[in-house]
Amino acid sequence: MIVGDLLKRIGVSGQLVPFFKAVCIYFLMGVANPSPAAAALKCAPVLCLLLCVMLKAASAPGERGRYARCVCAGLGLSALGDAALVWPQLLAAGMTLFGCAHVAYIMAFGLRPRKSLLALASAFVAALYVRSFRAGALAPLTPVVHTYAALLAAMAWRGAARPGPQRAGALLFAFSDAVLGYSLFGGPSPYRQTEYGSQVVVMSTYYLGQFLIALSALQHRGDGEPLQQ
């Protein structure tokens, strides 16, 4: 209900219908084996968000346009990362692409307000999280994983530091990556795979997080702060 009211306020509900349809198709038709079809299904929802933000806000002048363009960069890099992660041998490439996406989101969210205590809490949680990984599983990718964890924590900190839908979006994105990371490097997750090969908890929170970040670009006022909810 809250999301529906917000969509009506900013007049983008029709433009976001393809995103919701793409999410439903992904979960109904998730392809287990790595393939171009699996990559297309996985990327489609984020590409729908990217197109919506590009058409609706990226050409706007001033701060609103800058914010939207940074979000577009984050969405585009995320879609490339989604495609790479379909193939296990491209894990490092996928993490690198998502790390770049987090940099784009950090640029969108900015560095004010600082929220120093939130920054310290994010760094502390990220450090504890990485320590929970199995050394043997982590060894080949240790520098990549540590860098990625730092960027993810920074993105969550900056997204949560200011009002707007990106606050919940950034935290959901971080949660999604935390579950996925633990399933890869820490131990098996009971929620990791469905019978169709879809990662239900990971992908549902990931898509919702990306949706909320995109929504923040669509409702951004252009004066440094998003519309109040």
Side-chain angles (χ1 to χ4, degrees), residues 211-223:
F211 165 74
L212 291 170
I213 291 172
L215 196 59
S216 73
L218 294 170
Q219 71 170 58
H220 201 280
R221 292 188 308 198
D223 57 359

Side-chain angles (χ1 to χ4, degrees), residues 176-177 179-180 183 191-192 199-207:
S176 171
D177 273 8
V179 174
L180 177 59
S183 71
Y191 307 108
R192 188 178 177 193
Q199 299 168 307
V200 175
V201 170
V202 170
M203 296 308 296
S204 60
T205 52
Y206 167 71
Y207 286 140

Side-chain angles (χ1 to χ4, degrees), residues 30-228:
V31 180
N33 297 321
S35 66
L41 284 173
K42 190 178 182 185
C43 296
V46 175
L47 291 175
C48 289
L49 292 175
L50 172 60
L51 182 61
C52 188
V53 176
M54 287 179 63
L55 293 175
K56 191 75 177 180
S59 61
E63 172 61 18
R64 183 179 185 229
R66 187 205 67 82
Y67 184 94
R69 287 189 291 274
C70 288
V71 169
C72 283
L75 291 169
L77 289 162
S78 295
L80 292 173
D82 282 332
L85 291 180
V86 168
W87 288 271
Q89 65 270 28
L90 297 180
L91 176 60
M95 292 179 66
T96 300
L97 288 163
F98 271 112
C100 293
H102 295 321
V103 172
Y105 286 145
I106 292 167
M107 292 175 63
F109 302 151
L111 297 178
R112 293 184 180 181
R114 292 296 174 86
K115 302 287 185 179
S116 299
L117 289 178
L118 181 59
L120 290 174
S122 299
F124 180 70
V125 170
L128 286 181
Y129 174 69
V130 172
R131 285 178 62 87
S132 72
F133 292 162
R134 292 175 286 112
L138 189 61
L141 294 171
T142 298
V144 177
V145 171
H146 280 80
T147 302
Y148 185 82
L151 289 173
L152 180 63
M155 186 277 297
W157 160 46
R158 295 318 310 150
R162 56 191 294 172
Q166 86 293 329
R167 173 177 287 170
L171 295 176
L172 283 167
F173 199 155
F175 175 80
S176 171
D177 273 8
V179 174
L180 177 59
Y182 187 78
S183 71
L184 292 172
F185 304 114
S189 168
Y191 307 108
R192 188 178 177 193
Q193 297 288 335
T194 69
E195 61 180 326
Y196 301 108
S198 300
Q199 299 168 307
V200 175
V201 170
V202 170
M203 296 308 296
S204 60
T205 52
Y206 167 71
Y207 286 140
L208 181 56
Q210 293 279 34
F211 165 74
L212 291 170
I213 291 172
L215 196 59
S216 73
L218 294 170
Q219 71 170 58
H220 201 280
R221 292 188 308 198
D223 57 359
E225 293 291 339
L227 289 171
Q228 299 295 318

